[in-house]
Amino acid sequence: MRRAVAMRVAHVVVTKAFAGVERYVVNLANALAGRGIDVCVVGGSGDRMRSELDPVVSFWEGGDVLSSMAALSKGGRFDLVHAHMTKAELACSLALAGRLTPLVVTRHFAKKRGSSAAGKLAARWIRRRVELQISISEFVAAHIDGDSVVVYPGVPRLMLPDVERKPVVLVAQRLAAEKDTSTALRAFAASGLGSTGWKLNVAGEGPEEERLKEEAVALGIQASVDFLGNLREIDVRMAEASIFLATARAEPLGLSVLEAMRAATPVVASCSGGHLETVGRCGAAALFEPGDARRAASLLAELAANPDLRLEYGRELQAIQQERFSLESMVDRILALYEAAIQRGMTD
Protein backbone atom coordinates (compact mmCIF):
# COMPACT_ATOMS: atom_id res chain seq x y z
CA MET A 1 0.00 0.00 0.00
CA ARG A 2 1.35 3.40 -1.01
CA ARG A 3 1.70 5.98 1.78
CA ALA A 4 -0.08 9.20 0.91
CA VAL A 5 1.39 12.66 1.26
CA ALA A 6 -0.72 15.34 2.92
CA MET A 7 -3.11 16.91 0.43
CA ARG A 8 -6.59 18.33 0.11
CA VAL A 9 -8.63 17.04 -2.85
CA ALA A 10 -12.10 17.81 -4.22
CA HIS A 11 -14.10 15.36 -6.34
CA VAL A 12 -16.83 16.93 -8.44
CA VAL A 13 -19.72 15.18 -10.23
CA VAL A 14 -22.46 17.52 -11.47
CA THR A 15 -25.53 15.31 -11.07
CA LYS A 16 -28.41 14.70 -8.68
CA ALA A 17 -28.26 10.95 -9.25
CA PHE A 18 -26.58 7.88 -7.82
CA ALA A 19 -25.41 5.42 -10.47
CA GLY A 20 -22.10 3.99 -11.66
CA VAL A 21 -20.12 7.25 -11.78
CA GLU A 22 -21.34 8.35 -8.37
CA ARG A 23 -20.48 4.92 -6.98
CA TYR A 24 -16.97 5.30 -8.44
CA VAL A 25 -16.63 8.70 -6.72
CA VAL A 26 -17.81 7.30 -3.39
CA ASN A 27 -15.44 4.33 -3.53
CA LEU A 28 -12.47 6.51 -4.44
CA ALA A 29 -13.26 9.30 -1.98
CA ASN A 30 -13.68 6.89 0.93
CA ALA A 31 -10.49 5.03 0.05
CA LEU A 32 -8.50 8.28 -0.22
CA ALA A 33 -9.86 9.42 3.14
CA GLY A 34 -8.72 6.09 4.55
CA ARG A 35 -5.20 6.98 3.44
CA GLY A 36 -5.32 10.29 5.35
CA ILE A 37 -6.28 12.55 2.43
CA ASP A 38 -8.59 15.50 3.20
CA VAL A 39 -11.39 14.79 0.70
CA CYS A 40 -14.42 16.85 -0.32
CA VAL A 41 -17.13 15.65 -2.69
CA VAL A 42 -19.40 17.97 -4.67
CA GLY A 43 -22.55 16.66 -6.39
CA GLY A 44 -24.57 13.49 -6.70
CA SER A 45 -27.79 12.52 -4.95
CA GLY A 46 -27.57 14.35 -1.63
CA ASP A 47 -29.19 11.77 0.65
CA ARG A 48 -27.50 8.80 -0.99
CA MET A 49 -24.05 10.40 -1.19
CA ARG A 50 -24.18 11.42 2.47
CA SER A 51 -25.18 7.92 3.53
CA GLU A 52 -22.50 6.22 1.41
CA LEU A 53 -19.58 8.58 2.09
CA ASP A 54 -17.36 8.16 5.12
CA PRO A 55 -18.24 10.76 7.79
CA VAL A 56 -14.77 12.32 7.47
CA VAL A 57 -15.47 13.15 3.79
CA SER A 58 -17.05 16.58 3.35
CA PHE A 59 -20.06 16.73 1.04
CA TRP A 60 -21.63 19.69 -0.74
CA GLU A 61 -24.62 19.79 -3.04
CA GLY A 62 -23.74 20.39 -6.69
CA GLY A 63 -26.51 19.34 -9.04
CA ASP A 64 -25.70 21.93 -11.70
CA VAL A 65 -22.68 23.81 -13.01
CA LEU A 66 -23.32 27.04 -11.08
CA SER A 67 -23.91 25.38 -7.71
CA SER A 68 -20.83 23.21 -8.17
CA MET A 69 -18.75 26.28 -8.98
CA ALA A 70 -20.10 27.99 -5.86
CA ALA A 71 -19.27 24.97 -3.71
CA LEU A 72 -15.71 24.90 -5.01
CA SER A 73 -15.31 28.62 -4.44
CA LYS A 74 -16.49 28.49 -0.83
CA GLY A 75 -14.44 25.35 -0.19
CA GLY A 76 -11.19 27.25 0.06
CA ARG A 77 -7.84 26.02 -1.21
CA PHE A 78 -7.41 22.59 -2.77
CA ASP A 79 -4.15 20.96 -3.77
CA LEU A 80 -5.95 19.19 -6.63
CA VAL A 81 -9.46 18.98 -8.09
CA HIS A 82 -10.76 15.81 -9.75
CA ALA A 83 -13.78 16.08 -12.09
CA HIS A 84 -16.08 13.36 -13.40
CA MET A 85 -18.07 13.83 -16.65
CA THR A 86 -18.25 16.90 -18.88
CA LYS A 87 -20.48 19.17 -16.79
CA ALA A 88 -18.19 18.70 -13.81
CA GLU A 89 -15.16 19.31 -16.02
CA LEU A 90 -16.70 22.59 -17.19
CA ALA A 91 -17.65 23.68 -13.67
CA CYS A 92 -14.14 22.96 -12.40
CA SER A 93 -12.43 24.63 -15.37
CA LEU A 94 -14.42 27.80 -14.78
CA ALA A 95 -14.06 27.77 -11.00
CA LEU A 96 -10.30 27.26 -11.23
CA ALA A 97 -9.70 29.96 -13.86
CA GLY A 98 -6.65 31.96 -12.83
CA ARG A 99 -5.59 29.41 -10.23
CA LEU A 100 -2.65 27.01 -10.45
CA THR A 101 -4.61 24.13 -8.88
CA PRO A 102 -4.16 20.99 -11.05
CA LEU A 103 -7.37 19.67 -12.63
CA VAL A 104 -7.53 15.90 -13.13
CA VAL A 105 -10.49 14.33 -14.93
CA THR A 106 -11.71 10.75 -15.17
CA ARG A 107 -13.31 9.78 -18.48
CA HIS A 108 -16.12 7.36 -17.74
CA PHE A 109 -17.65 7.05 -21.21
CA ALA A 110 -16.28 6.00 -24.59
CA LYS A 111 -17.04 9.17 -26.51
CA LYS A 112 -15.55 12.55 -27.35
CA ARG A 113 -16.65 15.73 -25.63
CA GLY A 114 -18.86 18.23 -27.41
CA SER A 115 -21.73 16.96 -29.54
CA SER A 116 -23.25 20.46 -29.94
CA ALA A 117 -21.73 23.80 -30.95
CA ALA A 118 -21.78 24.93 -27.31
CA GLY A 119 -20.34 21.59 -26.29
CA LYS A 120 -17.46 21.93 -28.75
CA LEU A 121 -16.65 25.36 -27.33
CA ALA A 122 -16.75 24.03 -23.79
CA ALA A 123 -14.59 21.06 -24.82
CA ARG A 124 -11.85 23.37 -26.12
CA TRP A 125 -11.86 25.32 -22.86
CA ILE A 126 -11.76 22.13 -20.79
CA ARG A 127 -8.88 20.62 -22.78
CA ARG A 128 -6.75 23.73 -22.19
CA ARG A 129 -7.31 23.56 -18.44
CA VAL A 130 -6.99 19.82 -17.75
CA GLU A 131 -3.66 18.63 -16.38
CA LEU A 132 -4.33 14.89 -16.72
CA GLN A 133 -7.00 12.56 -18.07
CA ILE A 134 -7.67 9.14 -16.56
CA SER A 135 -9.68 6.55 -18.49
CA ILE A 136 -11.48 3.72 -16.69
CA SER A 137 -10.60 1.19 -19.43
CA GLU A 138 -8.61 0.73 -22.63
CA PHE A 139 -11.96 0.78 -24.46
CA VAL A 140 -12.72 4.26 -23.14
CA ALA A 141 -9.17 5.48 -23.81
CA ALA A 142 -9.48 4.46 -27.47
CA HIS A 143 -12.66 6.47 -28.01
CA ILE A 144 -12.09 9.79 -26.23
CA ASP A 145 -10.39 13.01 -27.32
CA GLY A 146 -6.84 13.44 -26.09
CA ASP A 147 -4.31 11.24 -24.35
CA SER A 148 -5.14 9.51 -21.10
CA VAL A 149 -3.78 7.11 -18.52
CA VAL A 150 -5.81 3.95 -17.95
CA VAL A 151 -6.50 3.24 -14.28
CA TYR A 152 -8.98 0.44 -13.78
CA PRO A 153 -11.60 1.03 -11.10
CA GLY A 154 -11.42 -1.24 -8.13
CA VAL A 155 -14.11 -2.37 -5.74
CA PRO A 156 -13.61 -2.39 -1.98
CA ARG A 157 -13.08 -5.56 -0.02
CA LEU A 158 -16.25 -6.69 1.71
CA MET A 159 -17.21 -9.30 4.25
CA LEU A 160 -19.80 -10.83 1.95
CA PRO A 161 -22.76 -12.47 3.64
CA ASP A 162 -22.60 -16.24 3.99
CA VAL A 163 -25.85 -17.01 2.21
CA GLU A 164 -27.08 -19.87 0.11
CA ARG A 165 -27.18 -19.33 -3.64
CA LYS A 166 -30.68 -19.08 -5.03
CA PRO A 167 -31.92 -20.02 -8.53
CA VAL A 168 -31.73 -16.38 -9.58
CA VAL A 169 -30.27 -14.60 -12.59
CA LEU A 170 -29.47 -11.05 -11.50
CA VAL A 171 -29.30 -7.95 -13.70
CA ALA A 172 -28.13 -4.72 -12.01
CA GLN A 173 -27.91 -1.68 -14.27
CA ARG A 174 -29.60 1.55 -15.21
CA LEU A 175 -32.73 0.78 -17.22
CA ALA A 176 -31.75 2.85 -20.23
CA ALA A 177 -31.40 2.01 -23.92
CA GLU A 178 -27.61 1.70 -23.88
CA LYS A 179 -27.78 -1.08 -21.27
CA ASP A 180 -30.01 -3.23 -23.54
CA THR A 181 -31.98 -4.82 -20.72
CA SER A 182 -34.41 -6.06 -23.37
CA THR A 183 -31.82 -8.67 -24.35
CA ALA A 184 -31.77 -9.88 -20.74
CA LEU A 185 -35.54 -10.41 -20.82
CA ARG A 186 -35.44 -12.17 -24.17
CA ALA A 187 -32.52 -14.36 -23.12
CA PHE A 188 -34.24 -15.41 -19.91
CA ALA A 189 -37.43 -16.19 -21.84
CA ALA A 190 -35.53 -18.24 -24.43
CA SER A 191 -33.60 -20.15 -21.76
CA GLY A 192 -36.79 -21.65 -20.35
CA LEU A 193 -35.43 -21.23 -16.83
CA GLY A 194 -38.60 -19.59 -15.58
CA SER A 195 -40.52 -22.85 -16.02
CA THR A 196 -38.00 -24.68 -13.80
CA GLY A 197 -38.28 -22.36 -10.81
CA TRP A 198 -35.58 -19.83 -11.68
CA LYS A 199 -36.18 -16.08 -11.30
CA LEU A 200 -34.84 -13.08 -13.18
CA ASN A 201 -34.22 -10.19 -10.76
CA VAL A 202 -33.74 -6.77 -12.38
CA ALA A 203 -32.22 -4.15 -10.07
CA GLY A 204 -32.14 -0.54 -11.23
CA GLU A 205 -34.31 2.29 -12.44
CA GLY A 206 -34.43 4.35 -15.60
CA PRO A 207 -36.51 5.65 -18.49
CA GLU A 208 -37.16 2.20 -19.96
CA GLU A 209 -38.58 0.61 -16.81
CA GLU A 210 -42.26 0.65 -17.81
CA ARG A 211 -41.53 -0.52 -21.36
CA LEU A 212 -39.45 -3.40 -19.99
CA LYS A 213 -42.25 -4.45 -17.65
CA GLU A 214 -44.60 -4.50 -20.64
CA GLU A 215 -42.08 -6.56 -22.60
CA ALA A 216 -41.87 -9.12 -19.78
CA VAL A 217 -45.64 -9.52 -20.03
CA ALA A 218 -45.47 -9.85 -23.82
CA LEU A 219 -42.81 -12.56 -23.46
CA GLY A 220 -44.95 -14.43 -20.95
CA ILE A 221 -42.32 -14.34 -18.21
CA GLN A 222 -43.83 -11.72 -15.89
CA ALA A 223 -44.39 -14.32 -13.14
CA SER A 224 -40.67 -15.13 -13.12
CA VAL A 225 -39.33 -11.55 -13.33
CA ASP A 226 -38.99 -9.18 -10.37
CA PHE A 227 -38.16 -5.52 -10.95
CA LEU A 228 -36.46 -4.49 -7.72
CA GLY A 229 -35.74 -0.78 -8.28
CA ASN A 230 -32.57 0.74 -6.84
CA LEU A 231 -31.21 -1.42 -4.04
CA ARG A 232 -28.89 -0.53 -1.21
CA GLU A 233 -28.45 -4.19 -0.24
CA ILE A 234 -27.13 -5.10 -3.68
CA ASP A 235 -24.19 -6.96 -2.10
CA VAL A 236 -26.60 -9.42 -0.51
CA ARG A 237 -28.43 -9.90 -3.81
CA MET A 238 -25.10 -10.41 -5.57
CA ALA A 239 -24.06 -13.08 -3.07
CA GLU A 240 -27.41 -14.86 -3.33
CA ALA A 241 -27.63 -14.89 -7.13
CA SER A 242 -26.40 -17.92 -9.04
CA ILE A 243 -25.68 -15.99 -12.27
CA PHE A 244 -25.10 -12.33 -13.11
CA LEU A 245 -26.18 -11.12 -16.57
CA ALA A 246 -24.65 -8.00 -18.19
CA THR A 247 -26.13 -7.01 -21.55
CA ALA A 248 -24.81 -3.52 -22.38
CA ARG A 249 -23.68 -3.30 -26.00
CA ALA A 250 -20.67 -1.08 -25.27
CA GLU A 251 -20.09 -0.97 -21.50
CA PRO A 252 -17.24 1.42 -20.62
CA LEU A 253 -16.17 -1.04 -17.90
CA GLY A 254 -19.00 -2.10 -15.55
CA LEU A 255 -18.71 -1.68 -11.78
CA SER A 256 -21.61 -4.08 -11.22
CA VAL A 257 -19.68 -6.74 -13.16
CA LEU A 258 -16.69 -6.20 -10.86
CA GLU A 259 -19.00 -6.49 -7.84
CA ALA A 260 -20.33 -9.79 -9.20
CA MET A 261 -16.78 -11.03 -9.73
CA ARG A 262 -15.93 -10.01 -6.15
CA ALA A 263 -18.81 -12.20 -4.95
CA ALA A 264 -17.62 -15.14 -7.11
CA THR A 265 -20.92 -14.94 -9.00
CA PRO A 266 -20.67 -16.36 -12.54
CA VAL A 267 -21.09 -13.62 -15.16
CA VAL A 268 -22.70 -13.94 -18.57
CA ALA A 269 -21.83 -10.77 -20.50
CA SER A 270 -21.91 -9.18 -23.92
CA CYS A 271 -18.65 -9.63 -25.83
CA SER A 272 -17.88 -5.93 -26.20
CA GLY A 273 -16.46 -2.82 -24.56
CA GLY A 274 -15.04 -3.07 -21.07
CA HIS A 275 -16.44 -6.57 -20.56
CA LEU A 276 -13.52 -7.86 -22.63
CA GLU A 277 -11.14 -6.34 -20.08
CA THR A 278 -12.91 -7.79 -17.02
CA VAL A 279 -14.84 -11.01 -17.64
CA GLY A 280 -12.90 -11.48 -20.89
CA ARG A 281 -9.69 -12.11 -18.94
CA CYS A 282 -11.10 -15.48 -17.91
CA GLY A 283 -10.29 -18.28 -20.33
CA ALA A 284 -13.74 -19.80 -19.90
CA ALA A 285 -15.61 -16.50 -20.08
CA ALA A 286 -19.33 -16.81 -20.87
CA LEU A 287 -19.62 -14.13 -23.56
CA PHE A 288 -22.18 -13.51 -26.29
CA GLU A 289 -22.35 -11.06 -29.18
CA PRO A 290 -24.27 -7.90 -28.22
CA GLY A 291 -27.99 -8.39 -28.68
CA ASP A 292 -27.71 -12.14 -29.29
CA ALA A 293 -30.41 -13.27 -26.87
CA ARG A 294 -30.33 -16.89 -28.08
CA ARG A 295 -26.62 -17.30 -27.35
CA ALA A 296 -27.07 -15.59 -23.99
CA ALA A 297 -29.95 -17.98 -23.27
CA SER A 298 -27.76 -20.98 -24.10
CA LEU A 299 -25.06 -19.78 -21.71
CA LEU A 300 -27.60 -19.18 -18.95
CA ALA A 301 -29.08 -22.66 -19.41
CA GLU A 302 -25.65 -24.28 -19.39
CA LEU A 303 -24.61 -22.60 -16.16
CA ALA A 304 -27.99 -23.16 -14.52
CA ALA A 305 -27.72 -26.90 -15.17
CA ASN A 306 -24.20 -27.26 -13.78
CA PRO A 307 -23.53 -26.10 -10.19
CA ASP A 308 -19.90 -27.28 -10.32
CA LEU A 309 -19.27 -25.20 -13.44
CA ARG A 310 -20.82 -22.17 -11.76
CA LEU A 311 -18.60 -22.65 -8.72
CA GLU A 312 -15.39 -23.02 -10.73
CA TYR A 313 -16.16 -20.13 -13.08
CA GLY A 314 -17.16 -17.84 -10.21
CA ARG A 315 -13.93 -18.55 -8.36
CA GLU A 316 -11.85 -17.78 -11.46
CA LEU A 317 -13.63 -14.46 -11.87
CA GLN A 318 -13.12 -13.65 -8.20
CA ALA A 319 -9.38 -14.32 -8.49
CA ILE A 320 -9.16 -11.96 -11.49
CA GLN A 321 -11.00 -9.23 -9.58
CA GLN A 322 -8.73 -9.56 -6.56
CA GLU A 323 -5.57 -9.49 -8.70
CA ARG A 324 -6.44 -6.76 -11.21
CA PHE A 325 -9.38 -4.73 -9.92
CA SER A 326 -8.76 -4.10 -6.24
CA LEU A 327 -9.51 -0.72 -4.73
CA GLU A 328 -6.11 -0.72 -3.07
CA SER A 329 -4.19 -0.91 -6.35
CA MET A 330 -6.47 1.71 -7.92
CA VAL A 331 -5.79 4.17 -5.09
CA ASP A 332 -2.05 3.52 -5.26
CA ARG A 333 -2.04 4.52 -8.94
CA ILE A 334 -4.35 7.51 -8.44
CA LEU A 335 -2.20 8.86 -5.61
CA ALA A 336 0.96 8.56 -7.70
CA LEU A 337 -0.75 10.52 -10.48
CA TYR A 338 -1.99 13.16 -8.02
CA GLU A 339 1.45 13.65 -6.56
CA ALA A 340 3.03 13.97 -10.02
CA ALA A 341 0.38 16.49 -11.11
CA ILE A 342 0.86 18.60 -7.99
CA GLN A 343 4.63 18.49 -8.40
CA ARG A 344 4.36 19.65 -12.01
CA GLY A 345 2.12 22.51 -10.90
CA MET A 346 4.70 23.62 -8.34
CA THR A 347 7.48 23.73 -10.94
CA ASP A 348 5.53 25.37 -13.82
Side-chain angles (χ1 to χ4, degrees), residues 180-195 200 202 210-225 227 245 293-294 297:
D180 194 19
T181 310
S182 177
T183 291
L185 296 178
R186 291 184 291 112
F188 187 76
S191 73
L193 291 179
S195 64
L200 176 66
V202 180
E210 290 307 313
R211 187 195 68 75
L212 291 165
K213 289 178 179 178
E214 292 171 1
E215 185 173 3
V217 172
L219 289 167
I221 57 172
Q222 69 273 20
S224 301
V225 180
F227 287 87
L245 178 56
R294 290 205 170 275

Side-chain angles (χ1 to χ4, degrees), residues 21-68:
V21 175
E22 292 79 15
R23 168 62 66 191
Y24 173 102
V25 171
V26 165
N27 286 345
L28 180 52
N30 287 343
L32 289 170
R35 300 281 186 97
I37 304 298
D38 184 354
V39 185
C40 306
V41 172
V42 178
S45 170
D47 291 343
R48 188 70 185 273
M49 296 296 276
R50 286 188 181 93
S51 69
E52 298 279 350
L53 287 167
D54 190 290
V56 302
V57 177
S58 302
F59 174 76
W60 298 316
E61 300 281 354
D64 56 57
V65 170
L66 291 179
S67 61
S68 295

